[in-house]
Amino acid sequence: AASTKTFNFATYHTLEEIYGFMDMLVAEHPQLVSKLQIGSTYEGRPIYVLKFSTGGNNRPAIWIDTGIHSREWVTQASGVWFAKKITQDYGQDPALTSILDSMDIFLEIVTNPDGFAFTHSKDRLWRKTRSITAGSSCVGVDPNRNWDSGFGLPGASNNPCSETYHGKFAHSEVEVKSIVDFVKNHGNIKAFISIHSYSQLLLYPYGYKTEPAPDHAELDELAKSALKALSSLYGTYYEHGSIINAIYRASGGTIDWTYEQGIKYSFTFELRDTGLYGFLLPASQIIPTAQETWLAIRTIMEHTLNHPY
Amino acid sequence: KEDFAGHQVLRISVANEAQIQKVMELENLEHLQLDFWRGPARPGSPIDVRVPFTRIQAVKVFLEAHGIKYTTMIKDVQSLLDEEQEQMFAFQAR
């Protein structure tokens, strides 16, 4: 594409095309968007985060990531659409404008670049990282079981051949460690939204224990209003709840770690669909999925802005 | 590139904990190479699993033998992937 205006958001793209899109977006909006490299993957690919900022220094921030499980293609595609939407709506949409006038937004579109490249080159249904585990012929660690929060407890596997293998130690995966270091160095992130697919769920901590999160009531209320906004567009039905109650026990998960870092508004989305296509959601559903999800994300961002802590 | 011709995705509906345990037994049989798209959670919550072509018969017999209901969510994974690739190439060509 010659510019983001001619970029086709209604089809899936390769890693190179998405990285090219990011560079175009930065070039088109240098006052608003910048690209940070927060690390390099196991196979040496750069890990990029887009920063949307209207100034200030180390402002309170909102983090959004997509694609941590590489086969969940509708999430990276939605991330691309979110990036363009932010540049289109700043100055137009009063809610987003007030958010960006006081806060920064960090968006990591391809959170597992090695896995994503592998889904295009060898195995479309690859989920994990591509790190080699000494002593095993199986490859990769589940990056959503590798965080230092209930790490290694029930809700993950210690078998390197399992899709939910937690890795040899917490933050063993550089794709995870890069985010950990970024979050710790930044120190002022107030909301953390990690986007997966599928099964249409909005989840909050905890996944590794049944004890409710101290902010459970507020998170549940916020999830409800976010989903009200989401379903207002196409009527898409989501369920919500804590990870362990809404689906199953999962240890070493992203948002359990971010919540335990003090980031109160920690959520995971599981986007479309509920089970006609699963991970193979037709590209025709990318834009509607991104549009409805954006309404929920914006609700969470507004709440974060209006409830400083 | 991995070929998924004939692979199916089954949607399993478990009625009770005993049936979940049975499905977990399947999950632990590595030679079946099952890929759980939605893992076993609780009675009433669907379990989606991709089954390689060569294992489909055995898995269906196992489920039926234990009275575990299932439907076929995706009849042939590769055909959906082919469509996806065609759509991507068509765009790139344009």
Side-chain angles (χ1 to χ4, degrees):
Chain A
S3 85
T4 61
K5 285 186 185 58
T6 55
F7 189 86
N8 185 339
F9 296 92
T11 187
Y12 291 114
H13 291 277
T14 64
L15 182 66
E16 294 70 26
E17 288 166 344
I18 292 175
Y19 279 9
F21 165 82
M22 290 162 73
D23 289 336
M24 285 192 290
L25 196 71
V26 170
E28 290 165 11
H29 304 276
Q31 301 310 316
L32 178 61
V33 198
S34 53
K35 182 179 84 172
L36 317 173
Q37 180 171 349
I38 64 168
S40 295
T41 66
Y42 180 85
E43 291 177 340
R45 292 181 175 88
I47 303 172
Y48 292 129
V49 171
L50 289 179
K51 176 180 181 182
F52 301 83
S53 179
T54 58
N57 179 32
N58 201 246
R59 278 178 169 173
I62 292 155
W63 170 280
I64 303 167
D65 69 63
T66 53
I68 193 166
H69 284 149
S70 37
R71 63 182 170 183
E72 298 168 9
W73 277 17
V74 69
T75 71
Q76 299 96 335
S78 297
V80 168
W81 189 91
F82 296 153
K84 178 67 179 173
K85 180 69 171 170
I86 292 170
T87 63
Q88 284 171 326
D89 281 9
Y90 178 66
Q92 307 300 319
D93 171 8
L96 183 72
T97 303
S98 58
I99 290 162
L100 275 172
D101 282 348
S102 310
M103 303 183 82
D104 292 342
I105 297 174
F106 293 100
L107 172 59
E108 184 176 6
I109 296 173
V110 188
T111 306
N112 176 5
D114 291 351
F116 188 59
F118 198 70
T119 62
H120 282 274
S121 61
K122 297 283 188 316
D123 178 350
R124 167 68 177 78
L125 293 173
W126 188 261
R127 161 191 171 101
K128 303 191 285 184
T129 63
R130 291 293 302 164
S131 60
I132 304 293
T133 298
S136 170
S137 60
C138 292
V139 172
V141 169
D142 181 346
N144 197 30
R145 298 291 187 284
N146 186 243
W147 299 72
D148 193 10
S149 175
F151 177 81
L153 294 181
S157 168
N158 62 5
N159 174 356
C161 299
S162 165
E163 291 287 7
T164 56
Y165 175 49
H166 50 54
K168 283 206 185 303
F169 53 89
H171 305 163
S172 62
E173 301 310 287
V174 64
E175 293 82 359
V176 169
K177 185 70 167 58
S178 302
I179 300 173
V180 166
D181 294 343
F182 180 85
V183 167
K184 287 185 170 180
N185 294 335
H186 186 281
N188 202 11
I189 291 177
K190 298 297 179 184
F192 195 105
I193 300 169
S194 191
I195 300 182
H196 292 247
S197 75
Y198 63 101
S199 59
Q200 294 173 201
L201 296 166
L202 179 51
L203 305 168
Y204 49 78
Y206 289 104
Y208 76 91
K209 57 184 178 179
T210 51
E211 172 197 330
D215 302 293
H216 172 273
E218 182 183 1
L219 295 176
D220 198 70
E221 277 312 305
L222 180 48
K224 278 183 196 144
S225 33
L227 292 182
K228 189 159 174 264
L230 184 150
S231 60
S232 69
L233 196 55
Y234 299 111
T236 304
Y237 174 72
Y238 268 63
E239 293 188 349
H240 70 280
S242 66
I243 296 166
I244 197 164
N245 286 328
I247 34 178
Y248 39 53
R249 185 182 293 270
S251 62
T254 308
I255 64 166
D256 283 357
W257 182 82
T258 59
Y259 187 74
E260 289 183 340
Q261 296 304 305
I263 302 175
K264 184 195 313 188
Y265 303 116
S266 290
F267 289 96
T268 286
F269 278 86
E270 291 281 355
L271 305 186
R272 294 185 188 185
D273 65 2
T274 49
L276 282 175
Y277 301 98
F279 300 122
L280 307 184
L281 194 71
S284 56
Q285 291 198 37
I286 293 171
I287 293 181
T289 301
Q291 287 171 328
E292 67 188 10
T293 309
W294 179 251
L295 298 179
I297 291 173
R298 198 180 62 172
T299 301
I300 292 170
M301 295 199 291
E302 268 188 295
H303 183 92
T304 305
L305 174 68
N306 298 329
H307 297 79
Y309 63 94
Chain B
K1 195 157 185 172
E2 193 81 26
D3 187 287
F4 297 99
H7 290 220
Q8 292 190 343
V9 178
L10 304 184
R11 162 149 293 182
I12 300 172
S13 309
V14 285
N16 51 51
E17 276 304 326
Q19 290 193 343
I20 288 182
Q21 289 314 313
K22 279 296 165 201
V23 175
M24 304 271 285
E25 278 175 35
L26 275 183
E27 187 174 17
N28 295 329
L29 298 175
E30 268 182 42
H31 71 281
L32 289 180
Q33 295 174 304
L34 300 182
D35 173 15
F36 281 81
W37 285 16
R38 283 175 78 164
R42 67 181 56 74
S45 151
I47 300 171
D48 298 342
V49 57
R50 173 174 62 85
V51 184
F53 174 63
T54 54
R55 316 289 190 204
I56 289 174
Q57 208 45 41
V59 170
K60 288 181 174 178
V61 165
F62 176 91
L63 294 172
E64 287 158 16
H66 292 93
I68 299 173
K69 289 188 173 50
Y70 67 87
T71 58
T72 302
M73 175 173 143
I74 296 177
K75 285 186 173 37
D76 184 314
V77 170
Q78 191 57 44
S79 61
L80 276 186
L81 294 179
D82 293 344
E83 271 174 53
E84 188 178 75
Q85 284 292 306
E86 278 155 33
Q87 204 257 359
M88 283 177 71
F89 288 144
F91 158 67
Q92 283 163 357
R94 217 178 307 138

